[in-house]
């Protein structure tokens, strides 16, 4: 029941955005697209805030989450923060690798367009940026063992 209410609350910014888009799409297409993008960003913001709230609740008190029945109780010998640490190392490593690959990949594409013979050297730099995600995954495996 709470999930349905949360989804409906999250969809509230979409209703006026879709209405304005349908009304303005023929007369003012630029304004219609902006209003739809604004509604989508509002929807993403509300969903992100809900996910962040659940994450903060989990981080602050995993016993509360177990008591609510959302997640089955783990064995008592398992450390409850191991999975969180592994997820953070993998997730943050992947985000960092994505940022690094975005910048190095764009620069490499521009450099290859000017001098195609630099492809091999630039591929190494992009590969080094992707290594950050692999390091995060390796640390996650080390934490879980």
């Amino acid at each position: 029941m709470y999930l349905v209410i949360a989804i409906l609350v999250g969809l509230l910014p979409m209703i006026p955005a879709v209405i304005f888009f349908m009304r303005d799409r023929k007369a003012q297409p630029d304004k219609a697209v902006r209003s739809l993008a604004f509604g989508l960003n509002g929807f993403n913001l509300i969903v992100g805030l809900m996910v962040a709230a659940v994450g903060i609740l989990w981080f602050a008190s995993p016993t509360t989450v177990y008591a609510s029945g959302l997640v089955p109780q783990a064995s008592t010998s398992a450390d409850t923060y191991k999975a969180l640490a592994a997820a953070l190392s993998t997730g943050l490593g992947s985000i960092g690798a994505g940022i690094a690959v975005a910048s190095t990949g764009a620069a490499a594409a521009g450099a290859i367009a000017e001098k195609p013979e630099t492809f091999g050297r630039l591929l190494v730099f992009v590969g080094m940026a992707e290594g950050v995600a692999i390091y995060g995954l390796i640390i996650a495996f080390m934490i879980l063992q």
Side-chain angles (χ1 to χ4, degrees):
M1 180 65 184
Y2 292 118
L3 182 62
V4 172
I5 293 171
I7 290 172
L8 291 177
V9 167
L11 288 174
L12 282 178
M14 287 298 299
I15 295 169
V18 171
I19 290 171
F20 288 129
F21 179 75
M22 297 301 284
R23 187 185 70 185
D24 296 337
R25 69 180 171 176
K26 291 185 181 171
Q28 300 170 334
D30 292 339
K31 184 180 176 186
V33 171
R34 274 191 306 238
S35 67
L36 185 63
F38 183 72
L40 288 172
N41 287 337
F43 173 72
N44 289 340
L45 178 70
I46 289 177
V47 169
L49 288 174
M50 287 191 293
V51 168
V54 170
I56 289 171
L57 177 69
W58 174 268
F59 185 68
S61 175
T63 55
T64 305
V65 176
Y66 287 138
S68 68
L70 292 174
V71 178
Q73 181 78 25
S75 65
T76 57
S77 64
D79 185 15
T80 55
Y81 291 109
K82 270 188 174 181
L84 179 65
L88 282 175
S89 69
T90 304
L92 293 176
S94 298
I95 289 171
I99 293 169
V101 168
S103 61
T104 58
I112 291 170
E114 292 179 11
K115 292 176 103 179
E117 62 269 7
T118 62
F119 175 73
R121 283 183 278 170
L122 296 175
L123 188 63
V124 171
F125 290 115
V126 175
M128 287 172 58
E130 290 177 3
V132 174
I134 295 170
Y135 295 143
L137 187 63
I138 289 171
I139 292 200
F141 284 138
M142 291 170 62
I143 289 171
L144 291 176
Q145 287 190 10

